[in-house]
Protein backbone atom coordinates (compact mmCIF):
# COMPACT_ATOMS: atom_id res chain seq x y z
CA UNK A 1 0.00 0.00 0.00
CA UNK A 2 1.45 3.32 -1.09
CA UNK A 3 1.02 6.37 1.02
CA UNK A 4 -0.29 9.48 -0.59
CA UNK A 5 1.53 12.73 -0.17
CA UNK A 6 0.73 14.55 3.01
CA UNK A 7 1.41 18.17 2.29
CA UNK A 8 0.12 20.92 4.51
CA UNK A 9 -3.17 21.29 2.67
CA UNK A 10 -3.94 17.58 2.36
CA UNK A 11 -3.78 16.85 6.08
CA UNK A 12 -5.46 19.87 7.48
CA UNK A 13 -8.36 20.82 9.53
CA UNK A 14 -10.45 19.91 12.47
CA UNK A 15 -11.76 16.77 10.86
CA UNK A 16 -8.38 15.09 10.43
CA UNK A 17 -9.75 11.98 12.12
CA UNK A 18 -11.75 11.51 8.95
CA UNK A 19 -8.72 11.81 6.71
CA UNK A 20 -7.33 8.68 5.17
CA UNK A 21 -4.18 8.61 3.12
CA UNK A 22 -4.61 5.24 1.56
CA UNK A 23 -4.01 5.15 -2.17
CA UNK A 24 -6.34 2.18 -2.62
CA UNK A 25 -9.15 4.22 -1.07
CA UNK A 26 -8.34 7.08 -3.43
CA UNK A 27 -8.54 4.79 -6.45
CA UNK A 28 -11.80 3.28 -5.23
CA UNK A 29 -13.45 6.65 -4.71
CA UNK A 30 -12.37 7.82 -8.16
CA UNK A 31 -13.41 4.58 -9.86
CA UNK A 32 -16.80 4.55 -8.12
CA UNK A 33 -17.64 8.10 -9.16
CA UNK A 34 -19.31 9.27 -12.33
CA UNK A 35 -18.46 12.96 -12.52
CA UNK A 36 -16.00 15.26 -10.78
CA UNK A 37 -15.96 18.92 -9.86
CA UNK A 38 -12.99 20.75 -11.32
CA UNK A 39 -11.78 23.91 -9.56
CA UNK A 40 -9.88 26.48 -11.59
CA UNK A 41 -9.04 30.14 -11.14
CA UNK A 42 -10.42 32.43 -13.84
CA UNK A 43 -9.67 36.16 -13.66
CA UNK A 44 -8.68 35.79 -10.03
CA UNK A 45 -11.80 34.01 -8.81
CA UNK A 46 -12.50 30.30 -8.37
CA UNK A 47 -14.76 28.46 -10.75
CA UNK A 48 -16.17 25.00 -10.01
CA UNK A 49 -17.09 23.03 -13.12
CA UNK A 50 -18.74 19.60 -13.24
CA UNK A 51 -17.15 17.36 -15.85
CA UNK A 52 -16.24 13.80 -16.82
CA UNK A 53 -13.04 12.02 -15.96
CA UNK A 54 -11.36 8.64 -15.86
CA UNK A 55 -8.37 7.09 -14.12
CA UNK A 56 -5.55 5.18 -15.81
CA UNK A 57 -3.13 3.90 -13.17
CA UNK A 58 -2.00 7.04 -11.36
CA UNK A 59 -3.10 9.54 -13.96
CA UNK A 60 -6.47 11.24 -13.88
CA UNK A 61 -7.76 12.30 -17.28
CA UNK A 62 -10.28 15.13 -17.08
CA UNK A 63 -12.58 16.10 -19.91
CA UNK A 64 -11.75 19.72 -20.60
CA UNK A 65 -14.25 20.92 -23.13
CA UNK A 66 -17.05 22.24 -20.94
CA UNK A 67 -15.86 25.57 -19.62
CA UNK A 68 -12.26 24.79 -18.85
CA UNK A 69 -11.06 26.61 -21.93
CA UNK A 70 -8.75 28.82 -19.91
CA UNK A 71 -6.87 25.69 -18.81
CA UNK A 72 -6.30 24.57 -22.36
CA UNK A 73 -5.29 27.91 -23.81
CA UNK A 74 -3.82 29.85 -20.92
CA UNK A 75 -0.67 29.43 -18.89
CA UNK A 76 -0.46 26.34 -16.71
CA UNK A 77 -2.03 26.64 -13.28
CA UNK A 78 -2.70 24.43 -10.33
CA UNK A 79 -6.18 22.99 -10.16
CA UNK A 80 -8.22 20.94 -7.70
CA UNK A 81 -10.41 18.02 -8.72
CA UNK A 82 -12.94 16.71 -6.21
CA UNK A 83 -15.06 13.56 -6.45
CA UNK A 84 -17.73 13.16 -3.77
CA UNK A 85 -20.02 10.25 -2.93
CA UNK A 86 -22.95 11.14 -0.70
CA UNK A 87 -23.73 7.88 1.14
CA UNK A 88 -26.24 8.92 3.75
CA UNK A 89 -27.84 11.59 5.86
CA UNK A 90 -26.84 11.31 9.52
CA UNK A 91 -29.79 12.07 11.78
CA UNK A 92 -28.71 12.76 15.35
CA UNK A 93 -30.55 13.49 18.58
CA UNK A 94 -29.07 16.97 18.55
CA UNK A 95 -29.16 19.25 15.53
CA UNK A 96 -25.49 20.04 16.09
CA UNK A 97 -24.49 16.45 15.32
CA UNK A 98 -26.49 16.15 12.13
CA UNK A 99 -24.07 15.30 9.37
CA UNK A 100 -23.65 13.31 6.17
CA UNK A 101 -21.89 10.06 5.43
CA UNK A 102 -19.64 10.56 2.45
CA UNK A 103 -16.45 9.59 0.71
CA UNK A 104 -14.53 12.29 -1.04
CA UNK A 105 -11.24 12.61 -2.87
CA UNK A 106 -9.49 15.89 -3.56
CA UNK A 107 -6.59 15.98 -6.01
CA UNK A 108 -4.25 18.92 -6.49
CA UNK A 109 -1.85 19.39 -9.35
CA UNK A 110 -0.90 21.22 -12.50
CA UNK A 111 -2.67 19.54 -15.39
CA UNK A 112 -1.05 19.02 -18.75
CA UNK A 113 -3.20 19.29 -21.90
CA UNK A 114 -3.00 16.00 -23.78
CA UNK A 115 -1.92 16.80 -27.34
CA UNK A 116 -0.33 13.62 -28.70
CA UNK A 117 -3.05 11.93 -30.81
CA UNK A 118 -2.33 8.43 -29.50
CA UNK A 119 -2.33 9.54 -25.88
CA UNK A 120 -5.46 11.59 -26.49
CA UNK A 121 -7.26 8.60 -27.93
CA UNK A 122 -6.21 6.49 -24.95
CA UNK A 123 -7.31 9.25 -22.57
CA UNK A 124 -10.70 9.61 -24.25
CA UNK A 125 -11.10 5.85 -24.07
CA UNK A 126 -10.39 6.00 -20.34
CA UNK A 127 -12.93 8.78 -19.79
CA UNK A 128 -15.60 7.14 -21.98
CA UNK A 129 -15.20 3.68 -20.48
CA UNK A 130 -15.40 5.19 -17.01
CA UNK A 131 -18.76 6.83 -17.73
CA UNK A 132 -20.13 4.32 -20.21
CA UNK A 133 -18.27 1.01 -19.98
CA UNK A 134 -18.44 -1.12 -23.12
CA UNK A 135 -19.23 1.74 -25.48
CA UNK A 136 -15.70 2.19 -26.86
CA UNK A 137 -15.98 -1.13 -28.66
CA UNK A 138 -19.40 -0.52 -30.23
CA UNK A 139 -19.68 3.17 -31.11
CA UNK A 140 -17.96 4.97 -33.98
CA UNK A 141 -14.42 6.01 -33.08
CA UNK A 142 -13.48 9.71 -33.19
CA UNK A 143 -12.20 10.87 -36.55
CA UNK A 144 -9.27 13.23 -36.87
CA UNK A 145 -11.40 16.36 -36.65
CA UNK A 146 -13.31 15.12 -33.59
CA UNK A 147 -10.08 14.12 -31.91
CA UNK A 148 -8.70 17.61 -32.50
CA UNK A 149 -11.90 19.12 -31.11
CA UNK A 150 -11.70 17.06 -27.91
CA UNK A 151 -9.84 18.59 -24.99
CA UNK A 152 -8.34 16.39 -22.30
CA UNK A 153 -6.20 17.28 -19.31
CA UNK A 154 -3.84 14.85 -17.61
CA UNK A 155 -3.40 15.22 -13.86
CA UNK A 156 -0.98 13.01 -11.93
CA UNK A 157 -2.34 11.50 -8.70
CA UNK A 158 0.64 12.78 -6.73
CA UNK A 159 -1.00 15.04 -4.18
CA UNK A 160 -4.38 13.96 -2.95
CA UNK A 161 -6.46 13.63 0.16
CA UNK A 162 -9.28 11.29 0.98
CA UNK A 163 -11.97 12.04 3.52
CA UNK A 164 -14.52 9.50 4.66
CA UNK A 165 -17.35 9.72 7.20
CA UNK A 166 -19.39 6.57 7.71
CA UNK A 167 -21.47 5.11 10.53
CA UNK A 168 -24.09 6.23 13.01
CA UNK A 169 -24.41 9.71 14.54
CA UNK A 170 -21.94 10.85 17.20
CA UNK A 171 -24.32 12.28 19.75
CA UNK A 172 -23.10 13.56 23.09
CA UNK A 173 -23.55 11.07 25.94
CA UNK A 174 -25.99 13.35 27.75
CA UNK A 175 -28.26 13.36 24.68
CA UNK A 176 -28.53 9.57 24.33
CA UNK A 177 -31.63 9.36 26.51
CA UNK A 178 -33.54 11.97 24.49
CA UNK A 179 -36.74 10.60 22.92
CA UNK A 180 -35.48 11.30 19.39
CA UNK A 181 -34.95 8.68 16.69
CA UNK A 182 -31.35 8.62 15.51
CA UNK A 183 -29.65 6.81 12.68
CA UNK A 184 -28.71 7.09 9.05
CA UNK A 185 -30.90 7.57 5.98
CA UNK A 186 -28.85 5.94 3.20
CA UNK A 187 -28.51 7.66 -0.18
CA UNK A 188 -27.81 5.64 -3.32
CA UNK A 189 -27.32 6.54 -6.94
CA UNK A 190 -29.07 4.07 -9.25
CA UNK A 191 -29.49 3.59 -12.98
CA UNK A 192 -32.98 3.66 -14.45
CA UNK A 193 -34.44 1.95 -17.50
CA UNK A 194 -32.56 2.85 -20.71
CA UNK A 195 -34.55 5.26 -22.86
CA UNK A 196 -33.99 4.74 -26.60
CA UNK A 197 -33.26 7.64 -28.94
CA UNK A 198 -36.54 8.41 -30.80
CA UNK A 199 -34.49 8.30 -34.02
CA UNK A 200 -33.56 4.66 -33.42
CA UNK A 201 -35.43 2.01 -35.48
CA UNK A 202 -37.89 0.16 -33.22
CA UNK A 203 -36.20 -3.22 -33.53
CA UNK A 204 -32.80 -2.38 -32.04
CA UNK A 205 -32.43 -4.15 -28.69
CA UNK A 206 -30.68 -2.51 -25.75
CA UNK A 207 -27.21 -4.11 -25.59
CA UNK A 208 -26.47 -6.22 -22.52
CA UNK A 209 -23.70 -3.93 -21.25
CA UNK A 210 -26.24 -1.12 -21.01
CA UNK A 211 -29.33 -3.11 -20.00
CA UNK A 212 -27.51 -4.98 -17.23
CA UNK A 213 -25.97 -1.81 -15.90
CA UNK A 214 -29.51 -0.52 -15.48
CA UNK A 215 -30.18 -3.28 -12.96
CA UNK A 216 -27.21 -2.44 -10.77
CA UNK A 217 -26.77 0.22 -8.19
CA UNK A 218 -24.77 3.00 -9.75
CA UNK A 219 -21.76 4.28 -7.97
CA UNK A 220 -22.70 7.45 -6.14
CA UNK A 221 -21.02 10.58 -7.38
CA UNK B 1 -39.85 35.91 -13.69
CA UNK B 2 -36.65 37.63 -12.72
CA UNK B 3 -33.62 37.46 -14.93
CA UNK B 4 -30.36 36.44 -13.39
CA UNK B 5 -27.31 38.55 -13.95
CA UNK B 6 -25.52 37.88 -17.17
CA UNK B 7 -21.97 38.92 -16.54
CA UNK B 8 -19.14 37.86 -18.80
CA UNK B 9 -18.46 34.67 -16.87
CA UNK B 10 -22.04 33.54 -16.49
CA UNK B 11 -22.86 33.56 -20.18
CA UNK B 12 -19.72 32.12 -21.58
CA UNK B 13 -18.54 29.32 -23.67
CA UNK B 14 -19.30 27.13 -26.56
CA UNK B 15 -22.30 25.55 -24.82
CA UNK B 16 -24.26 28.76 -24.45
CA UNK B 17 -27.26 27.08 -26.06
CA UNK B 18 -27.47 25.08 -22.85
CA UNK B 19 -27.43 28.13 -20.66
CA UNK B 20 -30.63 29.22 -19.06
CA UNK B 21 -31.00 32.41 -17.08
CA UNK B 22 -34.26 31.65 -15.39
CA UNK B 23 -34.31 32.30 -11.67
CA UNK B 24 -37.02 29.70 -11.11
CA UNK B 25 -34.74 27.08 -12.66
CA UNK B 26 -31.92 28.22 -10.38
CA UNK B 27 -34.11 27.85 -7.31
CA UNK B 28 -35.30 24.44 -8.43
CA UNK B 29 -31.79 23.11 -9.00
CA UNK B 30 -30.67 24.39 -5.60
CA UNK B 31 -33.74 23.08 -3.80
CA UNK B 32 -33.47 19.66 -5.45
CA UNK B 33 -29.82 19.20 -4.49
CA UNK B 34 -28.43 17.74 -1.30
CA UNK B 35 -24.84 18.96 -1.24
CA UNK B 36 -22.85 21.60 -3.08
CA UNK B 37 -19.23 21.99 -4.10
CA UNK B 38 -17.67 25.17 -2.75
CA UNK B 39 -14.70 26.65 -4.60
CA UNK B 40 -12.27 28.84 -2.68
CA UNK B 41 -8.71 30.04 -3.23
CA UNK B 42 -6.25 28.95 -0.55
CA UNK B 43 -2.62 30.07 -0.85
CA UNK B 44 -3.15 30.92 -4.49
CA UNK B 45 -4.64 27.60 -5.58
CA UNK B 46 -8.26 26.55 -5.94
CA UNK B 47 -9.83 24.16 -3.47
CA UNK B 48 -13.15 22.40 -4.09
CA UNK B 49 -14.96 21.36 -0.92
CA UNK B 50 -18.20 19.38 -0.69
CA UNK B 51 -20.52 20.79 1.96
CA UNK B 52 -24.14 21.35 3.00
CA UNK B 53 -26.25 24.33 2.11
CA UNK B 54 -29.77 25.66 2.06
CA UNK B 55 -31.67 28.43 0.29
CA UNK B 56 -33.80 31.07 1.98
CA UNK B 57 -35.39 33.30 -0.67
CA UNK B 58 -32.43 34.70 -2.59
CA UNK B 59 -29.76 33.93 -0.03
CA UNK B 60 -27.73 30.74 -0.09
CA UNK B 61 -26.47 29.63 3.32
CA UNK B 62 -23.42 27.42 3.11
CA UNK B 63 -22.15 25.29 5.97
CA UNK B 64 -18.61 26.50 6.53
CA UNK B 65 -17.10 24.18 9.12
CA UNK B 66 -15.59 21.48 6.92
CA UNK B 67 -12.47 22.98 5.46
CA UNK B 68 -13.59 26.47 4.66
CA UNK B 69 -11.83 27.91 7.68
CA UNK B 70 -9.92 30.39 5.56
CA UNK B 71 -13.22 31.91 4.51
CA UNK B 72 -14.33 32.44 8.07
CA UNK B 73 -11.08 33.83 9.43
CA UNK B 74 -9.35 35.43 6.46
CA UNK B 75 -10.13 38.48 4.36
CA UNK B 76 -13.25 38.31 2.25
CA UNK B 77 -12.86 36.70 -1.16
CA UNK B 78 -15.07 35.74 -4.02
CA UNK B 79 -16.17 32.11 -4.10
CA UNK B 80 -18.05 29.85 -6.46
CA UNK B 81 -20.72 27.40 -5.33
CA UNK B 82 -21.81 24.69 -7.77
CA UNK B 83 -24.73 22.27 -7.41
CA UNK B 84 -24.91 19.51 -10.02
CA UNK B 85 -27.57 16.90 -10.73
CA UNK B 86 -26.44 14.04 -12.92
CA UNK B 87 -29.63 12.89 -14.65
CA UNK B 88 -28.41 10.42 -17.24
CA UNK B 89 -25.63 9.06 -19.38
CA UNK B 90 -26.09 9.93 -23.04
CA UNK B 91 -25.07 7.02 -25.25
CA UNK B 92 -24.57 8.08 -28.85
CA UNK B 93 -23.72 6.24 -32.06
CA UNK B 94 -20.40 8.06 -32.15
CA UNK B 95 -18.06 8.26 -29.17
CA UNK B 96 -17.67 11.99 -29.83
CA UNK B 97 -21.32 12.65 -29.00
CA UNK B 98 -21.36 10.70 -25.76
CA UNK B 99 -22.41 13.10 -23.04
CA UNK B 100 -24.36 13.40 -19.80
CA UNK B 101 -27.74 14.83 -19.04
CA UNK B 102 -27.42 17.19 -16.13
CA UNK B 103 -28.68 20.30 -14.42
CA UNK B 104 -26.15 22.54 -12.79
CA UNK B 105 -26.14 25.89 -11.04
CA UNK B 106 -23.04 27.97 -10.46
CA UNK B 107 -23.18 30.91 -8.07
CA UNK B 108 -20.48 33.55 -7.70
CA UNK B 109 -20.19 36.05 -4.92
CA UNK B 110 -18.40 37.26 -1.84
CA UNK B 111 -19.83 35.39 1.14
CA UNK B 112 -20.45 37.02 4.48
CA UNK B 113 -19.90 34.99 7.66
CA UNK B 114 -23.15 34.91 9.62
CA UNK B 115 -22.40 36.13 13.13
CA UNK B 116 -25.68 37.44 14.53
CA UNK B 117 -27.04 34.60 16.74
CA UNK B 118 -30.63 34.94 15.52
CA UNK B 119 -29.59 34.97 11.87
CA UNK B 120 -27.21 32.07 12.49
CA UNK B 121 -29.98 30.02 14.04
CA UNK B 122 -32.24 30.77 11.07
CA UNK B 123 -29.43 29.91 8.66
CA UNK B 124 -28.70 26.61 10.42
CA UNK B 125 -32.39 25.83 10.33
CA UNK B 126 -32.40 26.48 6.58
CA UNK B 127 -29.39 24.21 6.02
CA UNK B 128 -30.70 21.43 8.30
CA UNK B 129 -34.21 21.45 6.88
CA UNK B 130 -32.77 21.32 3.38
CA UNK B 131 -30.79 18.16 4.13
CA UNK B 132 -33.08 16.60 6.71
CA UNK B 133 -36.58 18.09 6.53
CA UNK B 134 -38.60 17.79 9.72
CA UNK B 135 -35.63 17.34 12.02
CA UNK B 136 -35.51 20.90 13.32
CA UNK B 137 -38.75 20.36 15.21
CA UNK B 138 -37.75 17.06 16.84
CA UNK B 139 -34.02 17.17 17.62
CA UNK B 140 -32.36 19.13 20.41
CA UNK B 141 -31.71 22.74 19.42
CA UNK B 142 -28.13 24.05 19.41
CA UNK B 143 -27.02 25.52 22.71
CA UNK B 144 -24.97 28.71 22.92
CA UNK B 145 -21.66 26.88 22.67
CA UNK B 146 -22.76 24.78 19.69
CA UNK B 147 -24.11 27.86 17.97
CA UNK B 148 -20.76 29.58 18.43
CA UNK B 149 -18.96 26.52 17.07
CA UNK B 150 -21.11 26.46 13.91
CA UNK B 151 -19.84 28.38 10.92
CA UNK B 152 -22.24 29.59 8.25
CA UNK B 153 -21.64 31.74 5.20
CA UNK B 154 -24.34 33.81 3.49
CA UNK B 155 -24.08 34.20 -0.27
CA UNK B 156 -26.58 36.34 -2.19
CA UNK B 157 -28.00 34.75 -5.34
CA UNK B 158 -27.06 37.78 -7.40
CA UNK B 159 -24.71 36.33 -9.99
CA UNK B 160 -25.47 32.84 -11.12
CA UNK B 161 -25.67 30.68 -14.19
CA UNK B 162 -27.73 27.61 -14.89
CA UNK B 163 -26.77 24.96 -17.40
CA UNK B 164 -29.05 22.14 -18.43
CA UNK B 165 -28.59 19.29 -20.90
CA UNK B 166 -31.52 16.91 -21.31
CA UNK B 167 -32.82 14.62 -24.02
CA UNK B 168 -31.47 12.07 -26.47
CA UNK B 169 -28.02 12.05 -28.06
CA UNK B 170 -27.19 14.56 -30.80
CA UNK B 171 -25.58 12.29 -33.34
CA UNK B 172 -24.50 13.57 -36.74
CA UNK B 173 -26.99 12.79 -39.52
CA UNK B 174 -24.51 10.57 -41.31
CA UNK B 175 -24.21 8.36 -38.21
CA UNK B 176 -27.94 7.72 -37.76
CA UNK B 177 -27.87 4.56 -39.85
CA UNK B 178 -25.04 2.97 -37.86
CA UNK B 179 -26.05 -0.32 -36.19
CA UNK B 180 -25.40 1.09 -32.70
CA UNK B 181 -28.00 1.42 -29.96
CA UNK B 182 -28.40 5.03 -28.87
CA UNK B 183 -30.32 6.60 -26.03
CA UNK B 184 -30.08 7.67 -22.42
CA UNK B 185 -29.32 5.61 -19.33
CA UNK B 186 -31.08 7.54 -16.55
CA UNK B 187 -29.34 8.14 -13.23
CA UNK B 188 -31.36 8.69 -10.07
CA UNK B 189 -30.44 9.36 -6.47
CA UNK B 190 -32.68 7.43 -4.07
CA UNK B 191 -33.03 7.05 -0.34
CA UNK B 192 -32.56 3.62 1.23
CA UNK B 193 -34.07 2.07 4.34
CA UNK B 194 -33.29 4.10 7.49
CA UNK B 195 -30.63 2.41 9.61
CA UNK B 196 -31.13 2.99 13.36
CA UNK B 197 -28.26 4.06 15.61
CA UNK B 198 -27.13 0.93 17.54
CA UNK B 199 -27.36 3.02 20.71
CA UNK B 200 -31.09 3.57 20.18
CA UNK B 201 -33.48 1.50 22.34
CA UNK B 202 -35.13 -1.18 20.17
CA UNK B 203 -38.66 0.16 20.55
CA UNK B 204 -38.20 3.57 18.94
CA UNK B 205 -40.07 3.69 15.62
CA UNK B 206 -38.69 5.53 12.62
CA UNK B 207 -40.63 8.82 12.45
CA UNK B 208 -42.87 9.27 9.42
CA UNK B 209 -40.92 12.23 8.05
CA UNK B 210 -37.86 9.98 7.76
CA UNK B 211 -39.56 6.69 6.85
CA UNK B 212 -41.66 8.26 4.12
CA UNK B 213 -38.70 10.07 2.65
CA UNK B 214 -37.06 6.68 2.30
CA UNK B 215 -39.79 5.68 -0.15
CA UNK B 216 -39.30 8.67 -2.42
CA UNK B 217 -36.76 9.33 -5.10
CA UNK B 218 -34.16 11.62 -3.64
CA UNK B 219 -33.21 14.71 -5.49
CA UNK B 220 -29.97 14.06 -7.34
CA UNK B 221 -27.02 16.10 -6.24
Amino acid sequence: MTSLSATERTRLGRLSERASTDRAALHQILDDGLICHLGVIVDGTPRVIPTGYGRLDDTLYVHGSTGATSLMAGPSQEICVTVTHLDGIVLARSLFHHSVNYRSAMIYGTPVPVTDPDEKLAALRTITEHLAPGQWDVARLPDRKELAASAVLALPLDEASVKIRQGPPSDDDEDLALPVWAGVLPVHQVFGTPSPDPLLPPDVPVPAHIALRGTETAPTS
Side-chain angles (χ1 to χ4, degrees), chain A:
Chain A
M1 194 177 299
T2 317
S3 283
L4 303 184
S5 74
T7 61
E8 185 67 25
R9 63 188 167 193
T10 59
R11 59 177 172 200
L12 42 71
R14 49 184 282 274
L15 298 173
S16 56
E17 76 273 17
R18 289 183 192 171
S20 157
T21 49
D22 175 10
R23 185 164 291 274
L26 172 68
H27 287 180
Q28 195 65 54
I29 288 170
L30 295 176
D31 295 352
D32 285 352
L34 290 172
I35 59 164
C36 67
H37 281 84
L38 167 67
V40 297
I41 299 177
V42 180
D43 297 335
T45 58
R47 178 175 300 172
V48 178
I49 304 161
T51 191
Y53 72 95
R55 180 181 71 86
L56 187 61
D57 300 325
D58 278 316
T59 299
L60 196 75
Y61 289 112
V62 179
H63 199 256
S65 67
T66 50
T69 42
S70 64
L71 283 179
M72 309 303 298
S76 65
Q77 64 157 280
E78 259 197 319
I79 63 169
C80 175
V81 173
T82 297
V83 172
T84 306
H85 303 266
L86 179 63
D87 294 324
I89 298 172
V90 179
L91 305 160
R93 295 158 185 87
S94 65
L95 290 161
F96 185 72
H97 284 293
H98 275 62
S99 185
V100 292
N101 283 341
Y102 68 100
R103 290 162 291 143
S104 116
M106 213 178 274
I107 299 124
Y108 294 99
T110 304
V112 178
V114 178
T115 53
D116 175 77
D118 288 342
E119 191 192 351
K120 195 188 266 188
L121 202 64
L124 286 172
R125 179 179 186 143
T126 301
I127 294 171
T128 306
E129 286 293 297
H130 177 251
L131 200 63
Q135 285 294 99
W136 194 266
D137 293 332
V138 299
R140 178 176 66 71
L141 289 172
D143 62 26
R144 202 161 159 165
K145 199 175 153 192
E146 290 171 339
L147 202 57
S150 301
V152 181
L153 297 162
L155 185 66
L157 295 179
D158 289 340
E159 187 184 352
S161 71
V162 166
K163 285 190 182 172
I164 296 174
R165 200 266 180 229
Q166 301 289 310
S170 312
D171 271 309
D172 299 333
D173 286 347
E174 54 267 39
D175 288 334
L176 292 179
L178 289 176
V180 179
W181 188 88
V184 174
L185 180 63
V187 177
H188 305 289
Q189 204 168 41
V190 296
F191 294 116
T193 304
S195 166
D197 184 352
L199 299 179
L200 204 66
D203 54 351
V204 183
V206 181
H209 69 278
I210 299 167
L212 292 177
R213 201 176 182 205
T215 64
E216 294 161 13
T217 298
T220 56
S221 84

